[in-house]
Amino acid sequence: MTKDLLKGYWRYLKLQRGMSPNTLDAYRRDVDKLLHFLDGEGKSVTEVTLTDLQQFAAGLHDIGIGPRSQARILSGVRSLYRYLAMDGYVEGDPTELLEWPTLGEHLPEFLTPAEVDQLKDSIDVSKPEGHRNRAIIEVLFSCGLRVSELVTLRWSNLYADERVLRIMGKGSKERMVPISEMALHELENYLPWRNSLKIKPGEEDFIFLNRRGAHLTRTMILIMLKQQAEEAGLKKTISPHTLRHSFATALLEGGADLRVIQALLGHESIATTEIYTHISMQTLREEILLHHPRNIKAHSK
């Protein structure tokens, strides 16, 4: 029963919710944690009560899983029970009254445009991948892409004359994103090395390739950025997502409307985009503390 029920759920997530393989894997891991707990309780998925779920959540805390990871796991469990309730497998959703772990406000780190330039300028372009890595950084910062969108970026989705990229985002949702002149220039500089590669069959349309002629993975991008940040002398923790945050923050501080930023990032909800207002306010507060005459007088006493 449980196996058939879950098959239907995975099919629903893939076909109706349009989830990517990576997201599906994350949901499977979350549900597996719940199934392991239920095995110990001698209960099936359809017999679960709010009390059972509270015990499950408490168990996550007890084994040292942090609040943010707890929230993600419980979100996967809630998605399952919404599906079960919708399809009539359970009467009501037992997760409705389940309390979520308290999360402190987390402001993602970002780079200023000057720090992005510092990161790029630290790259040795005499090395084979030098121009490629500069292009990766510039495209991430100029277009605000997710790393999964960057590694699957194709030449056929780049409209250089119109300076636009067609991006297939989360849930197979398509959006158009402008690409800067500087990003196009970095891609042009990268082309001679790319054209010298022996490209694997089926990989010809991918923009960013490794030395073996295959498209890059998310892990490769992460490792490259961490190494480059160290070489650039940047003390911030840098990942591909840092450059996406930097893109959004630069737009907001430049006066862009939050709804425009939401569309460019491919956020389904404006609430996700609103985190950048907190970043901007933090920056403004620091500027006031440094430069406002009332604060300058206070510091000089």
Side-chain angles (χ1 to χ4, degrees), residues 8-294:
Y9 176 55
W10 305 134
R11 197 178 303 117
Y12 159 76
L13 292 181
K14 184 178 180 181
L15 301 179
Q16 293 192 40
R17 296 276 302 276
M19 286 189 176
S20 69
N22 288 328
T23 306
L24 278 172
D25 285 344
Y27 272 63
R28 281 195 179 94
R29 289 193 295 271
D30 297 338
V31 171
D32 282 345
K33 287 180 176 66
L34 176 67
L35 294 177
H36 181 72
F37 167 79
L38 293 177
D39 280 345
E41 298 294 309
K43 285 196 168 185
S44 72
V45 171
T46 54
E47 295 171 332
V48 165
T49 65
L50 174 60
T51 303
D52 294 324
L53 292 172
Q54 288 169 335
Q55 290 174 350
F56 171 65
L60 296 176
H61 173 76
D62 290 345
I63 61 174
I65 294 176
R68 199 164 296 278
S69 296
Q70 288 176 43
R72 196 211 65 244
I73 293 165
L74 294 177
S75 178
V77 170
R78 172 173 281 180
S79 171
L80 170 64
Y81 279 98
R82 281 180 175 169
Y83 164 80
L84 295 178
M86 181 177 66
D87 272 27
Y89 289 106
V90 295
E91 288 186 23
D93 178 0
T95 68
E96 272 186 348
L97 299 177
L98 185 62
E99 290 186 7
W100 245 233
T102 304
L103 300 178
E105 187 181 70
H106 173 67
L107 299 182
E109 200 141 42
F110 66 94
L111 301 179
T112 64
E115 287 172 326
V116 174
D117 288 340
Q118 184 180 339
L119 187 64
K120 284 174 55 184
D121 291 344
S122 69
I123 294 171
D124 183 353
V125 292
S126 68
K127 291 183 177 179
E129 296 93 344
H131 283 297
R132 183 202 65 188
N133 293 348
R134 281 181 63 94
I136 286 170
I137 291 167
E138 190 57 47
V139 169
L140 283 171
F141 177 61
S142 292
C143 304
L145 305 186
R146 299 177 177 96
V147 66
S148 57
E149 295 166 350
L150 181 94
V151 297
T152 55
L153 203 55
R154 295 172 179 268
W155 292 111
S156 55
N157 290 337
L158 168 61
Y159 304 94
D161 291 342
E162 293 83 4
R163 287 169 45 173
V164 167
L165 286 173
R166 189 170 79 239
I167 304 298
M168 191 64 72
K170 280 187 175 180
S172 299
K173 290 181 180 175
E174 193 178 279
R175 70 185 191 279
M176 305 300 282
V177 178
I179 183 168
S180 70
E181 195 67 50
M182 188 175 289
L184 289 171
H185 176 69
E186 296 290 2
L187 285 172
E188 193 175 326
N189 288 341
Y190 154 59
L191 273 176
W193 179 72
R194 187 190 184 279
N195 291 340
S196 71
L197 299 173
K198 185 178 180 182
I199 300 174
K200 289 187 175 182
E203 304 281 290
E204 296 88 355
D205 198 26
F206 287 104
I207 291 181
F208 294 112
L209 303 177
N210 60 27
R211 292 187 186 200
R212 296 180 297 281
H215 70 277
L216 297 174
T217 65
R218 294 184 299 175
T219 304
M220 289 175 185
I221 304 285
L222 178 63
I223 291 169
M224 180 274 286
L225 285 175
K226 284 189 177 297
Q227 288 176 343
Q228 209 55 56
E230 194 173 323
E231 287 185 32
L234 293 170
K235 302 302 180 188
K236 295 178 178 179
T237 303
I238 295 175
S239 70
H241 221 59
T242 310
L243 289 164
R244 180 167 157 88
H245 292 317
S246 306
F247 163 84
T249 305
L251 282 175
L252 188 67
E253 293 185 345
D257 184 88
L258 205 58
R259 291 283 177 186
V260 172
I261 299 172
Q262 178 190 4
L264 291 171
L265 291 172
H267 285 161
E268 193 167 330
S269 167
I270 190 70
T272 311
T273 317
E274 282 173 348
I275 184 68
Y276 298 105
T277 63
H278 299 308
I279 298 171
S280 189
M281 285 306 297
Q282 185 184 46
T283 305
L284 289 172
R285 183 175 179 276
E286 288 168 359
E287 289 298 305
I288 288 170
L289 287 173
L290 281 172
H291 303 298
H292 194 281
R294 294 286 190 245

